[in-house]
Amino acid sequence: MAEIALRNIRKSYGKTEVVHGVDLEIERGELIVILGPSGCGKSTLLRMVAGLEAITSGEILIDGQVVNRLEPRERGCAMVFQNYALYPHMTVAQNIGYALKIAGLSKTARLDKVRQVAASLGLTEFLERKPGQLSGGQRQRVAMGRAMIREPKVFLYDEPLSNLDARLRVAMRVEIRKLHQRLGTTTLFVTHDQVEAMTLADRIVVMNKGVVEQVGTPADVYKRPETTYVAGFIGTPGLNLLPAIAEPDAGVIALRDGQRLAYDTQRWPDVGHGPVTVGFRAEALKLEAGGLSGRFDFVEELGAAQLVHGTFAGETIIAHVTDARRLLPGDPLSFKLAPDDIQLFDAETGRRMPGEVLPATERRRVTPTLVKA
Ligand code: ADP
């Protein structure tokens, strides 16, 4: 049974609807990341699960029980906020133990639990400090400790790493993942950072303008984005997307300037002659003569690899390679691409073309998407 179920959840502020009917089932112990740009409704969705925001219509179930009318503290969720929301006048120990004090636990019992939780988060030596005497990462851990000590059914994280510098963000991400492996608590984590989502999640919920675009494992959303929106959002860089014409009789996709790319017609048997959006990963491109020809623009050095930017058929294409040569802007550039690295999307709706037949090796790995239309 799903630990959390969202059924056709809608939220309006006044006359403006900002969440347009979200359906989602979350299994016990899953770490789900809700990913999307600022303003897409992800925090609102999380706050509705927590009970901090009323839902306009739909149902939220936790452990099979409809919780629409339950107070936040009756839902068994513990939330970790971006700004930590610690009590500045209390010590770390008092902050972590506060929920137990409210619950009426004795001082000795409280101290025992606080010490356990603090030890598991590497906070033992800071127990007597005030939040003002801690670094951002330590404050974040105190906020997590305060949530953990309640042994909640569900952890809710609202952009908890956004205030940390890049290095600390990576370190805390690893800690959250380890903590999840150890405790196995069902977790909902909101972020706008696709790298954070890819590295943390069991499954990612990609949101756009109050709608769920796709639910899938990180590998699913990376390899088989359902829409051009997801394709462009996931990956560093996102999928290269170009307008083109499919010519299934010839087994090619023609770009705007007439250059043709062979594609796997057995994989896309239902694609007819006509406009499509063609997509391929930067990682699928090879710098080789005799392929797609265009002009070199510039290169982004990543250290172990390079992102080569070029203009092809009037569009930018980015290749992720490890053998970029020194080129000058405007120099000729050629990329090669295997036919089975080509993905096709509806030119109008942006949806992945239907009827795709996956190669046998990939079929086993597809996890069913749990979102209803
Ligand atoms: P995200 O977390 O994805 O950045 P939010 O869930 O915070 O997005 O907001 C979704 C939309 O709802 C935004 O357009 C935002 O302006 C609007 N919104 C959020 N809170 C309120 C509020 N209290 N009153 C009116 N509009 C709100």
Side-chain angles (χ1 to χ4, degrees):
M1 185 179 58
E3 170 106 73
I4 304 175
L6 307 187
R7 303 208 176 129
N8 198 16
I9 297 297
R10 291 176 185 271
K11 175 70 183 178
S12 301
Y13 291 108
K15 287 199 177 118
T16 315
E17 191 175 83
V18 296
V19 174
H20 310 295
V22 168
D23 287 293
L24 186 65
E25 304 230 321
I26 297 168
E27 299 298 323
R28 191 177 305 279
E30 268 194 304
L31 198 169
I32 297 286
V33 175
I34 303 175
L35 172 69
S38 178
C40 73
K42 50 195 190 305
S43 297
T44 303
L45 196 61
L46 194 77
R47 293 170 64 83
M48 288 193 282
V49 175
L52 299 172
E53 200 76 68
I55 60 174
T56 306
S57 67
E59 273 186 341
I60 298 179
L61 289 88
I62 299 180
D63 252 351
Q65 185 194 5
V66 178
V67 298
N68 287 20
R69 291 185 203 291
L70 293 190
E71 290 294 317
R73 60 186 161 71
E74 296 168 326
R75 297 189 183 196
C77 302
M79 191 143 168
V80 179
F81 297 93
Q82 180 177 352
N83 61 8
Y84 320 132
L86 301 177
Y87 298 111
H89 59 285
M90 292 186 191
T91 63
V92 168
Q94 286 165 337
N95 264 289
I96 294 178
Y98 188 66
L100 302 185
K101 186 172 180 183
I102 297 295
L105 241 72
S106 76
K107 195 167 179 188
T108 343
R110 237 159 51 210
L111 263 180
D112 270 359
K113 292 269 328 211
V114 167
R115 285 209 189 94
Q116 262 176 37
V117 167
S120 77
L121 291 167
L123 288 169
T124 304
E125 58 188 297
F126 307 111
L127 280 173
E128 293 315 313
R129 288 209 197 160
K130 301 266 172 72
Q133 300 165 305
L134 299 175
S135 72
Q138 289 160 347
R139 276 182 225 169
Q140 183 62 63
R141 273 189 249 149
V142 177
M144 281 158 60
R146 208 176 42 174
M148 272 167 68
I149 204 158
R150 296 170 50 195
E151 298 179 359
K153 272 191 254 179
V154 181
F155 275 128
L156 304 173
Y157 290 96
D158 192 3
E159 303 247 9
L161 309 182
S162 299
N163 287 347
L164 305 178
D165 67 49
R167 187 185 287 266
L168 200 53
R169 236 178 15 233
V170 174
M172 289 305 294
R173 201 164 80 201
V174 173
E175 285 196 28
I176 290 175
R177 184 74 226 180
K178 279 194 195 153
L179 188 71
H180 180 258
Q181 264 173 15
R182 193 150 46 85
L183 303 177
T185 309
T186 310
T187 300
L188 261 167
F189 186 107
V190 160
T191 182
H192 62 271
D193 180 341
Q194 64 92 21
V195 176
E196 214 162 276
M198 291 293 281
T199 50
L200 265 177
D202 292 321
R203 286 190 300 146
I204 300 177
V205 177
V206 187
M207 281 190 76
N208 180 23
K209 297 184 182 149
V211 170
V212 171
E213 292 254 338
Q214 186 169 357
V215 182
T217 64
D220 284 344
V221 293
Y222 176 81
K223 284 192 190 157
R224 283 174 295 278
E226 285 295 332
T227 63
T228 49
Y229 174 83
V230 175
F233 201 73
I234 299 281
T236 319
L239 203 73
N240 289 297
L241 293 165
L242 289 86
I245 305 286
E247 297 177 7
D249 293 343
V252 296
I253 301 292
L255 301 185
R256 272 207 186 123
D257 64 355
Q259 293 199 71
R260 300 166 124 203
L261 286 169
Y263 77 101
D264 182 354
T265 50
Q266 289 180 355
R267 182 169 184 152
W268 306 94
D270 296 352
V271 171
H273 190 103
V276 288
T277 298
V278 60
F280 43 85
R281 284 279 163 208
E283 296 83 350
L285 292 166
K286 303 220 162 19
L287 272 174
E288 271 178 39
L292 204 56
S293 77
R295 301 189 266 102
F296 171 78
D297 291 328
F298 61 92
V299 64
E300 284 180 83
E301 184 58 63
L302 303 178
Q306 300 89 38
L307 295 180
V308 177
H309 292 240
T311 304
F312 293 74
E315 306 280 335
T316 297
I317 294 183
I318 305 175
H320 181 278
V321 299
T322 53
D323 57 353
R325 288 169 294 119
R326 279 190 180 279
L327 290 171
L328 294 174
D331 278 355
L333 190 64
S334 173
F335 288 142
K336 276 203 170 164
L337 178 64
D340 59 0
D341 282 324
I342 284 183
Q343 309 187 41
L344 298 176
F345 300 87
D346 188 298
E348 270 182 26
T349 63
R351 295 206 71 79
R352 195 173 186 84
M353 283 295 201
E356 181 181 4
V357 180
L358 288 175
T361 46
E362 296 225 358
R363 245 173 267 158
R364 271 176 290 117
R365 280 189 247 124
V366 180
T367 46
T369 169
L370 292 173
V371 71
K372 296 169 207 149

